[in-house]
């Protein structure tokens, strides 16, 4: 790991500088040698990085949805050219080019974070070994070595021997309890984030190998974090736990406000949007109008959730417009049935009379004399 981290040594100076700037702020509040000052500096570093990565996160969402939409076509190509791997690869690349989809885009946020992650690991390892690094001079090094989070030094690891932990002014029991709790929280947050994605924000109508891969990753990633976590310093665990919590919250917001078409989250979103329209008589908000406009533009290609939404609007005497707005409409209920893919309501037939009533002659009319 040290060899890999050293490859990112070019960024250790900027990372250490950012940490020191945040430390000067929090040190004035909690004390320069406080674990809170150093810990919150690492948390703030994560927040700063993740804010800068928001554009990449948006690209990741688009790429993931694009890959989900392409799965049926990709499966058809695999079956058609199953005996010709070269042609299969060529057709796949052609499909990506035509649709503007890049499979690697879904990995961009993780790849962009990697240099910062390894640089922080390198900084904390230097602190643990009593070495200055970047802009962290001897006085800051002494302060960082005294900083503890719930009794565990920032530079301590779960696998460190008792002698090394004691040199940092802590007990091996405190270090292992704190690191174990943080590793468990890190793994659980990763599992919940992936589980939330699989249960709410995937198109349930598409059954492909891609879905099975995502389910496998839901269990594999937390295990990877748990195994790797025992070799991470406490400060790195703070970094990774913070970024996991950020990802979880960011994903919850995206699922709530911009769900994947055909997913359970979209059904819930459109149900809320229908109540919103029923209350206000129109669509309020640019984001909501954009989603309604996209549904209108799909026409007959709408999924079940979207057809149900359009039908419910029609039954309430409203119609969605191409600009995302909603207006009053006098469309009949029969058109609502047609919009949902059903059959128009049949004309009610008169009630059939019993045999005895049909055989009884009608009463004669009195004559006018």
């Amino acid at each position: 790991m040290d060899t890999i981290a050293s490859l990112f040594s070019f960024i250790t100076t900027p990372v250490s500088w950012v940490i020191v700037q945040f430390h000067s702020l929090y040190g004035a509040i909690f004390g320069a040698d406080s674990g809170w000052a150093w810990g919150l500096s690492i948390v703030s570093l994560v927040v700063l990085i993740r804010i800068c990565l928001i554009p990449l996160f948006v690209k990741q969402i688009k790429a993931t949805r694009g890959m989900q939409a392409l799965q049926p076509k990709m499966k058809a190509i695999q079956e058609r050219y199953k005996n010709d791997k070269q042609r299969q690869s060529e057709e796949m690349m052609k499909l990506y080019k035509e649709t503007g989809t890049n499979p690697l885009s879904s990995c961009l946020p993780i790849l962009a974070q990697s240099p910062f992650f390894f640089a922080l690991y390198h900084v904390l390892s230097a602190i643990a070994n009593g070495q200055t690094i970047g802009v962290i001079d001897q006085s800051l090094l002494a302060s960082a070595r005294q900083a503890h989070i719930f009794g565990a030094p920032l530079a301590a690891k779960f696998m460190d021997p008792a002698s090394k932990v004691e040199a940092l002014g802590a007990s091996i029991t405190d270090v292992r309890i704190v690191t174990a709790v943080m590793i468990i929280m890190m793994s659980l947050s990763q599992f919940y984030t992936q589980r939330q994605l699989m249960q709410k924000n995937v198109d349930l109508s598409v059954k492909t190998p891609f879905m099975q891969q995502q389910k496998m990753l839901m269990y594999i990633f937390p295990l990877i974090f748990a195994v790797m976590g025992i070799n991470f310093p406490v400060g790195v665990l703070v970094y990774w736990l913070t970024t996991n919590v950020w990802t979880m919250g960011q994903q919850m917001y995206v699922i709530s406000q911009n769900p994947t078409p055909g997913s359970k989250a979209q059904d819930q979103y459109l149900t809320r949007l229908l109540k919103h329209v029923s209350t206000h008589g129109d669509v309020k908000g640019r984001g909501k109008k954009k989603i309604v406009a996209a549904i209108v533009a799909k026409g007959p290609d709408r999924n079940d959730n979207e057809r149900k939404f359009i039908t419910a609007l029609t039954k309430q005497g409203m119609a969605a417009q191409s600009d995302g707005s909603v207006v009053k409409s006098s469309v009949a209920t029969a058109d609502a049935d047609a919009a949902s893919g059903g059959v128009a309501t049949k004309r009610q037939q008169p009630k059939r009379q019993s045999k005895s009533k049909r055989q009884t002659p009608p009463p004669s009319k009195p004559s006018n004399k």
Side-chain angles (χ1 to χ4, degrees):
M1 180 66 79
D2 290 336
T3 302
I4 298 175
S6 63
L7 296 175
F8 297 93
S9 58
F10 68 94
I11 204 172
T12 53
T13 298
V15 167
S16 62
W17 184 85
V18 171
I19 292 175
V20 167
Q21 301 311 306
F22 281 122
H23 174 260
S24 63
L25 172 63
Y26 295 122
I29 301 173
F30 301 103
D33 300 337
S34 168
W36 286 105
W38 286 100
L40 288 174
S41 298
I42 296 173
V43 171
S44 299
L45 172 68
V46 175
V47 173
L48 179 63
I49 293 171
R50 294 309 299 266
I51 289 174
C52 294
L53 292 179
I54 285 177
L56 289 181
F57 181 74
V58 173
K59 286 187 178 182
Q60 180 191 31
I61 293 173
K62 291 180 179 179
T64 302
R65 291 184 180 178
M67 288 298 294
Q68 289 177 351
L70 288 180
Q71 288 304 304
K73 294 181 179 179
M74 291 171 64
K75 189 175 182 180
I77 291 174
Q78 290 171 349
E79 291 178 353
R80 184 175 181 181
Y81 303 105
K82 60 183 177 181
N83 297 324
D84 189 348
K85 297 297 181 182
Q86 183 177 352
R87 182 65 185 278
Q88 186 182 113
S89 179
E90 290 174 356
E91 291 296 322
M92 287 286 191
M93 295 304 295
K94 184 179 177 181
L95 180 63
Y96 292 148
K97 187 175 181 180
E98 289 175 352
T99 57
T101 304
N102 185 356
L104 296 178
S105 296
S106 59
C107 303
L108 285 177
I110 294 177
L111 293 175
Q113 281 188 85
S114 298
F116 300 97
F117 172 78
F118 288 116
L120 178 63
Y121 182 91
H122 203 46
V123 169
L124 292 172
S125 295
I127 292 173
N129 295 324
Q131 301 171 352
T132 58
I133 184 171
V135 300
I136 298 179
D137 55 22
Q138 199 64 45
S139 61
L140 288 170
L141 175 63
S143 174
R145 286 175 66 86
Q146 294 179 37
H148 292 63
I149 296 179
F150 301 112
L154 284 175
K157 306 173 190 175
F158 183 89
M159 298 300 291
D160 280 346
S163 58
K164 189 173 182 178
V165 172
E166 289 172 1
L168 294 171
S171 70
I172 190 67
T173 302
D174 290 340
V175 168
R176 290 189 174 173
I177 290 175
V178 171
T179 52
V181 170
M182 294 182 72
I183 290 169
I184 291 171
M185 292 176 65
M186 187 174 66
S187 299
L188 287 178
S189 61
Q190 178 70 35
F191 175 79
Y192 180 80
T193 299
Q194 189 69 18
R195 185 172 182 268
Q196 177 184 233
L197 178 67
M198 292 300 303
Q199 287 195 335
K200 290 188 175 182
N201 208 38
V202 295
D203 188 349
L204 301 176
S205 64
V206 180
K207 305 294 184 182
T208 64
F210 178 78
M211 303 291 292
Q212 297 299 323
Q213 293 172 7
Q214 293 298 306
K215 287 182 179 179
M216 289 176 61
L217 292 177
M218 181 171 68
Y219 296 99
I220 291 174
F221 272 141
L223 289 175
I224 292 175
F225 275 102
V227 173
M228 295 178 63
I230 61 175
N231 294 308
F232 289 163
V234 171
V236 172
L237 292 177
V238 170
Y239 175 96
W240 210 249
L241 178 59
T242 304
T243 198
N244 278 4
V245 172
W246 177 283
T247 301
M248 183 170 61
Q250 189 172 246
Q251 184 171 273
M252 289 176 67
Y253 176 80
V254 170
I255 289 175
S256 174
Q257 300 300 318
N258 191 16
T260 299
S263 65
K264 181 180 179 180
Q266 188 196 35
D267 185 30
Q268 295 172 344
Y269 177 87
L270 293 179
T271 300
R272 295 195 304 270
L273 183 57
L274 182 63
K275 291 180 180 179
H276 171 87
V277 173
S278 301
T279 302
H280 299 282
D282 197 4
V283 179
K284 303 292 183 182
R286 187 173 62 179
K288 293 183 177 68
K289 285 188 176 181
K290 188 176 179 180
I291 289 178
V292 173
I295 293 174
V296 173
K298 285 185 177 182
D301 295 329
R302 299 177 190 126
N303 59 48
D304 292 341
N305 296 334
E306 294 160 349
R307 282 194 290 269
K308 186 171 70 172
F309 173 72
I310 294 296
T311 301
L313 281 178
T314 305
K315 288 182 177 179
Q316 293 187 18
M318 293 179 283
Q321 305 299 299
S322 58
D323 62 352
S325 62
V326 173
V327 298
K328 294 290 183 181
S329 174
S330 57
V331 179
T333 304
D335 289 336
D337 292 331
S340 63
V343 181
T345 305
K346 293 182 179 180
R347 183 167 56 89
Q348 187 175 1
Q349 299 294 328
K351 187 175 181 180
R352 188 173 181 178
Q353 294 180 334
S354 63
K355 183 176 179 181
S356 59
K357 287 185 178 181
R358 291 199 307 271
Q359 292 176 349
T360 303
S364 58
K365 296 181 180 180
S367 60
N368 295 326
K369 291 184 178 181

